[in-house]
Amino acid sequence: MHDIRFIREHPEAFDTALKRRHLSPAESTQFSSSNLISIDERRRAIIRVNEGALARRNAASKEVGDAKRKGDETTAQKLMAEVADLKETISRTDQEQKDVQKELDDLLARIPNLPADDVPDGKDARDNVERHHFGAKREYAFAPKQHFDLGEALSQMDFEAAAKLSGARFVVLKKGLARLERALGQFFLDVHTSEPHNYTEVDPPLAVSADAMFGTAQMPKFADDQFWTRREWPSHKEVNYFLFQAYNQGRKLEDLFELREFSGAIVPQLKESAAQSLNDFLSANRLGLIPTAEVPLTNLVRESILDEAQLPLRYTACTPCFRAEAGAAGKDTRGMIRQHQFTKVELVSVTAPEQSKDEHERMLACAEEVLKRLDLHYRVVTLCAGDMGFAAQKTYDIEVWLPGQNMYREISSCSNCGEFQARRMDARYRTKEGRNVRHVHTLNGSGVAVGRALIAVMETYQQDGGSIAVPEALAPYMGGITKIERS
């Protein structure tokens, strides 16, 4: 989230950096420094009126006492009337200040992070810049197959059974492939928690609050991409309480309901505005299934002030992840590339601002290491300004080569978010001198996506006839299994 003070002090720099994001014309207008500053000026003007009214009310109240002591009832009555008017002004400006502050905060919450100066310009993935690569494309004496053809032929990857259970974009893994996926997650964790990576393993909740989602910027922009659940479903008593509160606030019952005809019967229905209010009332108790362990791991430092000596903090977790993929209709409809549920090992770092650039390079190296040990061919690209994620200041993507698809696919994305997420979470640290409190910098990356690593291993290590050789690095996790084949 952006600091309005920075925008006021550096309007041209803010607009220039934001322009590199290639926003829509409507967003560019809404998010311009001139619009934001004009809203902030309204807020500051209201504050000045409010503070002036408070000061005058306090002075006038004292003058009332002085006038009464002098027996000047006429003056006292005038002053009391002035105090009453000032109370109304204070009450009105208090509400106006809250309204305009919300307007400003809502806008600031929807503005993406500004790209770092060394991020390449560009609009989409075609403008990303290759940084380096590891290994080379393997040669096969046969036409390599895609992972879903391999898995289905082995009878160990079942999309039809998953569809019966949960619908599209789910999979059931069995036997050797199920064990191979488990082995990959365990292998990644063991590498990242040992020397020299030294990440702290965490087993976090898989359901988090909307506040936690907001902190890492899944909310409000990507609310439709999340799966939502509840701590508990509301009772009729709670719904009636909402209606009672609405009625007590001066809203007549006819303002809440309208009559509609269903199947020949006339029944009362909540009006759209009341239904929205009720939805807001009920949504306050909801939890979101994590789209990545980045959310709970980064939020471990929310609303806290750390000591600089504690930094950097490094966390890792292997968790199921859940994404509704609302914006991905028609993409990768076959196979495991884009699933509603998938497993991923996440890396999160919390650093002082001066450390974050070096930590970004370190995180990338950690993510690369597990792929090197699996001897998978990949390339690293620096994302252009127009292709980065909402919260990112700079991002490296690792794209693994899939022989069956004959293309590179993302398997890890490592981002430095600067203080963008920390401002949303109010995560800070106290400098060594103890004189200043500053926002931390947060970084996150995949170390790596387990499902996509499974795909890469299957397609890379496939044998003529459809079996899959187990990479040497995974041998300790596979209980003596060296090849996955149909049994």
Side-chain angles (χ1 to χ4, degrees):
M1 192 160 176
H2 296 285
D3 182 3
I4 188 62
R5 288 175 296 181
F6 172 85
I7 298 171
R8 280 202 313 264
E9 294 167 5
H10 307 90
E12 292 183 5
F14 176 81
D15 288 338
T16 299
L18 196 61
K19 186 177 181 180
R20 299 178 64 203
R21 281 288 197 162
H22 294 276
L23 303 176
S24 68
E27 288 176 322
S28 297
T29 300
Q30 280 187 312
F31 302 159
S32 67
S33 63
S34 59
N35 185 48
L36 295 168
I37 291 171
S38 69
I39 296 171
D40 189 48
E41 285 298 330
R42 282 197 284 121
R43 181 186 67 87
R44 298 171 79 187
I46 292 168
I47 290 173
R48 287 193 294 270
V49 172
N50 182 271
E51 290 177 345
L54 282 167
R56 178 55 194 152
R57 183 199 64 183
N58 293 338
S61 296
K62 184 178 179 181
E63 291 172 14
V64 168
D66 292 340
K68 283 185 174 293
R69 280 192 295 272
K70 294 176 182 178
D72 189 350
E73 192 60 33
T74 301
T75 300
Q77 289 298 321
K78 288 182 180 180
L79 288 168
M80 289 170 65
E82 182 184 3
V83 168
D85 289 341
L86 288 167
K87 285 182 178 179
E88 290 185 7
T89 299
I90 293 166
S91 177
R92 173 176 53 79
T93 53
D94 278 343
Q95 186 58 52
E96 289 176 352
Q97 183 181 339
K98 290 177 183 177
D99 291 343
V100 74
Q101 184 69 61
K102 184 178 185 304
E103 179 184 358
L104 181 61
D105 289 344
D106 287 350
L107 266 182
L108 291 172
R110 292 165 46 210
I111 303 174
N113 204 350
L114 301 181
D117 292 340
D118 59 346
V119 168
D121 287 328
K123 188 174 183 180
D124 53 38
R126 293 170 294 185
D127 299 317
N128 295 338
V129 178
E130 183 170 341
R131 193 173 186 266
H132 61 263
H133 67 270
F134 170 80
K137 300 173 184 176
R138 297 193 182 196
E139 298 293 333
Y140 298 87
F142 55 91
K145 296 179 180 179
Q146 295 197 55
H147 68 281
F148 45 81
D149 289 327
L150 291 165
E152 289 176 333
L154 291 168
S155 294
Q156 297 180 27
M157 183 177 287
D158 195 334
F159 295 99
E160 288 187 9
K164 292 176 183 176
L165 297 172
S166 308
R169 297 192 190 272
F170 290 91
V171 66
V172 172
L173 298 178
K174 303 174 184 176
K175 300 181 181 179
L177 289 186
R179 180 158 191 166
L180 183 60
E181 184 183 49
R182 173 161 55 92
L184 284 163
Q186 186 64 55
F187 167 64
F188 296 157
L189 276 182
D190 285 350
V191 172
H192 293 316
T193 56
S194 61
E195 294 279 357
H197 296 191
N198 281 337
Y199 284 86
T200 298
E201 183 176 353
V202 177
D203 184 11
L206 302 182
V208 296
S209 68
D211 287 342
M213 291 278 199
F214 178 86
T216 45
Q218 276 73 32
M219 291 281 287
K221 185 175 177 64
F222 305 104
D224 290 342
D225 289 329
Q226 316 309 322
F227 281 109
W228 294 98
T229 184
R230 290 191 166 319
R231 293 185 181 91
E232 59 182 88
W233 287 98
S235 65
H236 290 298
K237 182 178 179 181
E238 287 172 313
V239 174
N240 289 335
Y241 174 76
F242 157 77
L243 296 174
F244 175 75
Q245 289 292 92
Y247 187 74
N248 275 356
Q249 291 166 9
R251 299 175 64 180
K252 298 178 181 178
L253 288 179
E254 54 263 34
D255 294 332
L256 301 175
F257 292 97
E258 59 186 15
L259 296 179
R260 292 186 182 178
E261 183 175 349
F262 290 98
S263 302
I266 302 296
V267 296
Q269 292 287 308
L270 281 177
K271 287 188 175 179
E272 184 175 348
S273 59
Q276 181 61 51
S277 298
L278 179 56
N279 184 62
D280 293 343
F281 173 77
L282 300 177
S283 294
N285 209 31
R286 67 181 177 174
L287 293 174
L289 299 181
I290 62 170
T292 162
E294 170 202 348
V295 180
L297 295 184
T298 311
N299 275 278
L300 288 175
V301 297
R302 71 177 289 110
E303 297 174 356
S304 59
I305 300 178
L306 307 167
D307 289 327
E308 187 171 359
Q310 296 175 260
L311 303 177
L313 296 173
R314 300 185 178 112
Y315 300 122
T316 186
C318 180
T319 66
C321 304
F322 306 88
R323 293 183 185 171
E325 298 285 5
K331 296 181 181 178
D332 300 307
T333 53
R334 285 207 68 190
M336 287 180 59
I337 287 289
R338 197 178 296 272
Q339 295 275 281
H340 287 317
Q341 177 185 323
F342 55 95
T343 302
K344 184 154 73 78
V345 171
E346 187 72 11
L347 306 175
V348 162
S349 295
V350 180
T351 77
E354 297 78 13
Q355 300 171 323
S356 66
K357 285 187 177 181
D358 289 342
E359 186 69 17
H360 194 198
E361 302 297 325
R362 182 187 190 279
M363 179 177 284
L364 174 65
C366 290
E368 286 187 68
E369 179 62 24
V370 296
L371 299 179
K372 288 178 179 178
R373 295 195 192 187
L374 292 172
D375 196 23
L376 295 173
H377 171 51
Y378 67 84
R379 67 181 182 185
V380 175
V381 298
T382 304
L383 298 196
C384 69
D387 196 39
M388 290 195 305
F390 181 84
Q393 190 177 74
K394 183 177 182 179
T395 298
Y396 297 126
D397 269 9
I398 304 176
E399 299 177 344
V400 70
W401 176 254
L402 300 183
Q405 289 197 15
N406 194 38
M407 65 188 300
Y408 290 100
R409 298 302 298 255
E410 178 199 331
I411 195 170
S412 173
S413 189
C414 298
S415 297
N416 184 354
C417 298
E419 64 179 34
F420 187 81
Q421 291 178 325
R423 286 190 168 278
R424 300 168 79 99
M425 296 186 300
D426 193 24
R428 296 172 292 168
Y429 76 100
R430 194 179 305 278
T431 59
K432 291 177 181 177
E433 299 80 12
R435 297 175 184 174
N436 297 313
V437 174
R438 307 165 66 190
H439 285 96
V440 297
H441 278 199
T442 62
L443 303 92
N444 64 79
S446 307
V448 292
V450 177
R452 292 197 177 188
L454 175 66
I455 293 169
V457 167
M458 289 176 66
E459 295 196 10
T460 300
Y461 285 87
Q462 62 181 292
Q463 310 291 300
D464 193 9
S467 64
I468 299 163
V470 173
E472 184 178 342
L474 298 180
Y477 303 90
M478 292 297 293
I481 299 173
T482 59
K483 183 187 292 185
I484 298 173
E485 49 194 343
R486 189 182 178 102
S487 56

